[in-house]
Amino acid sequence: MLRTVRADPDVLQRMKDDQLVDLMRITDAEISKLQALQLRAIADLSVRRRRAPGTASEVALALSITEHRAGTMVSAANALIARLPRMLNLMDDGRLDLYRAMKVTDATAWLSRDHVRLVDATLEDRVPGRNATQVRRAAAYAAAKADPEGAAQRTERAFVERRLALHHQDTGVTSLSINNATTEKATAAYTRIDQAARALKTSDESRTLDQLRADVAMDLLLSGMGGPSERTEVFLHVDLATYLGVSDSPAVLAGRGPIAAAVARRIISGSDTTLRRVLTDPRTGRAIELSPTRYPLDPAHDEFIRVRDRECRQPGCTRPAQNCGIEATRAQGESEGAADQPVTYCSRHRRLKSRPGWDYEITSDGTVNVATPAGRTHSTTPPSMSSGRRRTNRSRKKPRL
């Protein structure tokens, strides 16, 4: 197909939608293979230069890129060759590109050689088909599980370096950021700002949500009048063994991803923390009951649905469920409206769901299948607290009728 398109670019106009999608995927696989070859060349050059700092400068000149970018490529090449050979093999097979591979090298840079080899083996079957955010989360979770004590120490070291940063730009505006804040407080602060901004977004309001969030945050900092003062919820998912200190399996913060067990226990022990028990199926790890009211498995209960789904169920989307809406989704094998099931989607994907050519269905085990206008189906399984049963995505071509 690639040879045909190169020989006759006009053939693209004659292709069907599914053929164009196939071409995109084939091209992406070939790019990944070439990137693996390029990394091998960079790593070999680094060895010949005895890993001297000047290697990055040489690569930068050869590829017409910045030295910072070249340095990250040299580091990634050395890490993949020496520490993550399975990830490099995935690149050789066209199943993992450089951008996603670097999410793994970044997330595992602090691990010992023995621990990183364990993570390399764990991720081999988990990263293909996942987007960069999902790869980063999977790598971070596997790294924290391989060395929980090191993960906790790394988090604490980062927190010590917390700071407020002010960066004046040439255009007359300025960026203000809080770096290395605790995850739970930063998430709660963002959620509070987001809720206040959405409350202000009326039909008469010309500002975008991003603009409103920025204005609300600045008002809160300057006067404390930027939004409501009520407490804000964030969802922390932690298994019982980790909660009791028997296990150091990483916990999961909805919308953020894995956090170290020690950090999760610190959040739980906070004076302002409210605990709610979520019962899970021991076979699948999926939520089946929420306390303290102890709701039965009632698909009409919005709060339970958001706890169950954690995040938007669109494949690849990581928006927290508490910031999402709930949309009826057609049950597999049923006509529209006959046995619809409620599922959590963010506002963007709720709109996408209603557009022509898109088809959404949910199976009996909770898997959401999304068929695109090109006829390709992408699936996402329900999240689970069980290790090895994390939320996964699959992609396949829809069979022609």
Side-chain angles (χ1 to χ4, degrees):
M1 184 181 288
L2 289 175
R3 286 195 298 269
T4 300
V5 174
R6 289 193 186 103
D8 180 14
D10 292 337
V11 74
L12 289 172
Q13 305 300 323
R14 301 191 294 272
M15 283 184 172
K16 297 180 179 178
D17 288 0
D18 63 327
Q19 291 175 318
L20 287 174
V21 173
D22 283 339
L23 179 60
M24 290 162 48
R25 293 168 64 89
I26 292 170
T27 304
D28 188 64
E30 292 302 312
I31 290 172
S32 297
K33 295 175 184 178
L34 290 173
Q35 287 175 330
L37 181 59
Q38 184 185 57
L39 290 178
R40 292 182 187 277
I42 290 174
D44 195 63
L45 181 67
S46 178
V47 171
R48 295 184 186 190
R49 301 294 184 266
R50 298 183 179 180
R51 304 192 187 280
T55 306
S57 299
E58 193 172 356
V59 172
L61 291 172
L63 302 181
S64 299
I65 58 178
T66 65
E67 291 202 12
H68 176 74
R69 172 66 176 171
T72 60
M73 291 183 68
V74 172
S75 296
N78 290 331
L80 289 164
I81 291 289
R83 292 162 54 85
L84 296 158
R86 294 172 187 259
M87 296 298 103
L88 187 58
N89 289 340
L90 289 177
M91 294 184 68
D92 287 328
D93 294 338
R95 302 169 67 195
L96 184 69
D97 62 13
L98 175 60
Y99 182 63
R100 290 180 293 151
M102 290 177 70
K103 297 298 182 183
V104 179
T105 60
D106 290 345
T108 58
W110 57 279
L111 290 175
S112 68
R113 184 176 293 271
D114 290 339
H115 285 139
V116 81
R117 288 301 179 103
L118 178 62
V119 172
D120 191 33
T122 300
L123 294 178
E124 185 174 19
D125 296 326
R126 298 187 183 182
V127 298
R130 292 191 174 189
N131 63 34
T133 298
Q134 293 171 321
V135 169
R136 175 185 59 78
R137 287 185 175 188
Y141 184 89
K145 192 171 180 63
D147 185 9
E149 184 177 350
Q153 292 174 352
R154 185 166 174 258
T155 300
E156 294 304 320
R157 284 196 299 268
F159 180 61
V160 169
E161 298 172 358
R162 64 191 181 278
R163 62 192 179 93
L164 181 69
L166 189 70
H167 177 65
H168 297 293
Q169 301 177 28
D170 296 336
T171 53
V173 294
T174 298
S175 296
L176 179 67
S177 63
I178 301 174
N179 299 332
N180 291 0
T182 58
T183 296
E184 71 277 11
K185 287 186 177 180
T187 303
Y190 180 87
T191 302
R192 178 183 177 185
I193 291 167
D194 180 68
Q195 290 173 346
R198 290 179 182 277
L200 294 172
K201 187 58 179 172
T202 63
S203 57
D204 299 328
E205 177 56 66
S206 61
R207 289 174 292 178
T208 66
L209 270 176
D210 282 334
Q211 292 170 337
L212 285 167
R213 290 188 193 103
D215 293 345
V216 167
M218 194 61 67
D219 289 345
L220 281 168
L221 286 170
L222 293 175
S223 64
M225 301 300 291
S229 59
E230 64 266 16
R231 294 175 60 185
T232 303
E233 264 192 346
V234 295
F235 294 156
L236 174 67
H237 298 256
V238 55
D239 62 45
L240 180 61
T242 299
Y243 167 62
L244 296 175
V246 177
S247 167
D248 280 326
S249 297
V252 178
L253 193 67
R256 190 277 185 196
I259 61 174
V263 177
R265 285 193 286 267
R266 188 200 73 221
I267 296 172
I268 291 171
S269 63
S271 58
D272 293 332
T273 299
T274 300
L275 296 180
R276 303 194 65 188
R277 188 185 72 245
V278 179
L279 297 182
T280 58
D281 187 317
R283 297 167 300 174
T284 64
R286 294 170 190 158
I288 57 175
E289 187 176 313
L290 173 65
S291 71
T293 312
R294 296 188 182 181
Y295 312 115
L297 183 55
D298 181 3
H301 199 289
D302 290 1
E303 187 176 17
F304 174 79
I305 293 165
R306 290 189 172 93
V307 171
R308 179 199 67 190
D309 288 354
R310 297 194 196 175
E311 297 169 346
C312 171
R313 290 297 307 280
Q314 176 79 9
C317 185
T318 59
R319 188 163 186 83
Q322 65 265 40
N323 296 338
C324 297
I326 296 173
E327 189 85 3
T329 301
R330 178 177 59 81
Q332 187 179 43
E334 300 287 346
S335 59
E336 196 76 35
D340 290 354
Q341 300 294 321
V343 176
T344 304
Y345 301 104
C346 67
S347 57
R348 174 184 297 179
H349 295 122
R350 290 175 72 189
R351 291 192 298 268
L352 181 67
K353 183 175 178 292
S354 62
R355 288 178 180 168
W358 291 85
D359 182 62
Y360 286 66
E361 67 174 17
I362 183 168
T363 66
S364 58
D365 67 354
T367 298
V368 174
N369 297 323
V370 181
T372 71
R376 187 170 295 277
T377 299
H378 301 263
S379 302
T380 175
T381 59
S384 166
M385 281 303 299
S386 301
S387 59
R389 287 183 175 270
R390 303 291 157 190
R391 173 179 167 181
T392 57
N393 298 337
R394 299 189 303 273
S395 175
R396 64 187 184 279
K397 187 180 292 186
K398 188 177 180 179
R400 295 182 178 179
L401 300 177

